[in-house]
Amino acid sequence: MLKEIVQVLLGIGFLRLTHSIYKARRPGRPGPPGYPIFGNLLQLGTKPHLLMAKWAKKYGDIYYLRMGFIDWMVVSTPEAMHDILSRQGLTFASRPHQVILGDILTSKASGVTTSPYGPDWNYKRRFFTTTFNKVNVQSHQDTLLYESRDLIRQLMASSEEHGSHGFSARRHHQSYALNIILTMAYGTRFSSHKDPLCQTQLQLNDELFRMIGPKYCLIDFLPFLRPFLPHLERDAWDLHQTLYGFLGDHFDQYCEEADTVNARIPNTLSKLLLESVRKGDLTREHALILLAETFAAGLDTSSASFTWLSLLLVTHMDVQKKAQEEVDRIVGRDRMPTHDDLPNLPYLRCILLESMRFRGPAQFSLPRATAEDTVYRGVTIRKGTWIMPSLYAANRVFSHLEDQDVFRPERWESNPKTLTEEVSGKQSTRVNWNFGAGRRVCPGLYLSDLSLSLAVANLVWSFTVQAGDGEQIDLEEMEDGTNTPPPHWRLQYTPRGDHVKTMLETEGSITRADTVKAH
Ligand code: HEM
């Protein structure tokens, strides 16, 4: 009995101690109260962006949360984004330590997305800025054009199969993004999203995202749980082995055929990586991590953006009709849209800008961190604090736009810039924060801009898209996780005339159909 009483007293003492350590670590920091040990961890629920935007209204543009033993600093307004990510960009340019994503999946944070700010990050980031810069992406524009038409062809085939019942096009959108990345990464592609290798790649990507979700971050927030949850790390090591085995096979195949591939598709990421591996500047393992990051960073972000855009066209038929009229006027029906048409399609640019603002692919940007303890607005930000840019709050809730909670592409009509111009233009008046900012701004911006623009131009040229029979689309619904695509709503794709099929058979198969070897 005495033993039990001592145990209870020790337990209470431990809780009081942790509680007081807790309180002692939060002086002068605005933010909602939390619970001992867990802090605000249990409060966030499945739609954290909504609650966190509500807290921003109460506690300000910068406020603090405790996620177990980790501090979060939440950034919620366009002004605060500009200040933290751009003006004070150097101070906040690092990334926080994470066990699963950092230590295991990117082998001690040795990729670009997870590595701390410094020369190693800078060296590795150059592979991305060289491969995905405007000039190099433009040199691959035939690839993008071919893939955008292949997307239409695949949508046409599925629409013939499913009719007015409709189907979810998420896998089509993913394989569109995947084939573009595959070509730029290795000079290869999959012939269909039904290809087993394509399915494996998409499944591995899904699995990766499952493991960077909240459940697997528990051991970052509550490190004392680590010995009790060994399966989390075991799962991550299993994925590490499968993922890098899979990517390694592709990379080895590229290495074997490098000369032939380079002759067909020059300037791939693998070409740069192989050169560096041969020079001894980069290990093979690190080359594979950079390849893995290309897929992880570029695939679901691009495809979720296009899935949202398609849904917004379906739920705003007036916008879709106006887009079709613009494409008909500029392109006509005797040919399909190409990149040369994009500068003459301002309304499509407005749709892309507004769709990304209104329903971007993720509600938060990647967490940032400070490399050292630092003081911001009189508060000490400890090294290890996660800086969380809330994209939803900045784009929607605290935007200075009128009716910011309404999808209205017309709001951009007086200045229909491209997505790239919006993100890399004047930061103090920026509205759309989806690609981050400053030193770590997304290096895939231009590729995403061009691939989404071509896809939407070809989509509205080819189809009238509507909800599948009986489908009640609810735009408030989204999946939880790091990326937040909409649920698998069924959509029906009705070709806008016989000319669509005819054009797909002629124009759709030219360009690089036989220049890239398909699996
Ligand atoms: C719609 C598409 C995309 C969106 C919305 C998006 C968004 C983002 C965001 C918010 C960040 C964090 C930036 C920051 O910390 O300030 C980021 C980083 C990154 N993105 Fe993207 N991205 C997209 C597509 C791509 C593509 C296609 C690629 C590559 C092919 C890519 C590669 C990367 C990489 C490597 C980073 C890490 C940069 C670093 O830490 O230095 N992204 N992206």
Side-chain angles (χ1 to χ4, degrees), residues 108-377:
K108 296 206 170 23
S110 40
V112 174
T113 43
T114 48
S115 72
Y117 184 71
D120 187 53
W121 163 78
N122 200 20
Y123 171 70
K124 287 174 180 157
R125 188 174 157 102
R126 275 209 301 261
F127 289 100
F128 283 84
T129 48
T130 310
T131 308
F132 300 108
N133 67 32
K134 189 170 174 174
V135 174
N136 199 43
V137 170
Q138 280 180 346
S139 76
H140 288 267
Q141 62 187 20
D142 281 354
T143 296
L144 272 71
L145 189 61
Y146 177 77
E147 296 302 344
S148 65
R149 288 166 178 184
D150 194 55
L151 168 66
I152 301 298
R153 198 180 297 116
Q154 306 276 348
L155 290 171
M156 178 81 94
S158 295
S159 80
E160 281 166 3
E161 191 182 330
H162 297 281
S164 63
H165 180 72
F167 58 94
S168 159
R170 188 186 301 174
R171 281 297 194 216
H172 301 68
H173 299 167
Q174 283 177 319
S175 64
Y176 172 58
L178 177 60
N179 269 341
I180 290 174
I181 294 177
L182 270 174
T183 309
M184 294 199 66
Y186 302 111
T188 184
R189 70 185 300 274
F190 293 121
S191 51
S192 146
H193 67 280
K194 292 180 182 155
D195 181 313
L197 275 178
C198 177
Q199 304 269 347
T200 309
Q201 172 87 59
L202 295 176
Q203 273 159 12
L204 286 172
N205 211 52
D206 288 351
E207 188 62 0
L208 182 75
F209 274 96
R210 195 173 69 81
M211 286 193 197
I212 53 185
K215 180 175 152 197
Y216 285 81
C217 288
L218 252 185
I219 53 180
D220 293 317
F221 302 142
L222 300 170
F224 62 86
L225 288 182
R226 208 169 155 181
F228 304 104
L229 301 171
H231 62 285
L232 299 185
E233 287 172 70
R234 232 180 9 245
D235 288 355
W237 280 116
D238 287 348
L239 176 64
H240 182 285
Q241 208 175 350
T242 320
L243 179 67
Y244 291 113
F246 183 80
L247 292 173
D249 288 348
H250 275 287
F251 187 57
D252 291 345
Q253 194 181 340
Y254 167 82
C255 296
E256 272 171 32
E257 301 169 359
D259 291 341
T260 332
V261 178
N262 295 346
R264 281 184 284 133
I265 309 284
N267 309 329
T268 59
L269 177 59
S270 288
K271 179 170 182 256
L272 289 182
L273 295 173
L274 180 59
E275 280 164 10
S276 301
V277 171
R278 281 184 177 153
K279 273 196 259 163
D281 295 343
L282 190 74
T283 63
R284 178 179 180 275
E285 188 199 2
H286 287 177
L288 296 186
I289 291 170
L290 297 180
L291 284 166
E293 284 184 307
T294 314
F295 295 106
L299 184 67
D300 280 352
T301 44
S302 311
S303 65
S305 302
F306 194 61
T307 309
W308 275 119
L309 195 154
S310 308
L311 270 191
L312 288 163
L313 290 177
V314 167
T315 48
H316 298 78
M317 289 305 283
D318 51 329
V319 172
Q320 188 177 157
K321 192 159 175 280
K322 200 165 156 184
Q324 288 171 336
E325 282 163 9
E326 184 180 73
V327 172
D328 290 349
R329 202 170 54 249
I330 301 299
V331 181
R333 299 200 160 194
D334 300 335
R335 62 181 184 86
M336 296 181 80
T338 71
H339 2 69
D340 293 338
D341 295 309
L342 298 178
N344 303 319
L345 297 167
Y347 190 62
L348 286 195
R349 289 203 291 284
C350 298
I351 293 177
L352 182 54
L353 285 164
E354 182 67 348
S355 153
M356 291 297 289
R357 181 194 77 80
F358 190 73
R359 283 288 188 279
Q363 307 307 313
F364 296 95
S365 185
L366 297 177
R368 295 283 194 92
T370 57
E372 303 295 337
D373 287 1
T374 191
V375 175
Y376 182 71
R377 293 192 188 173

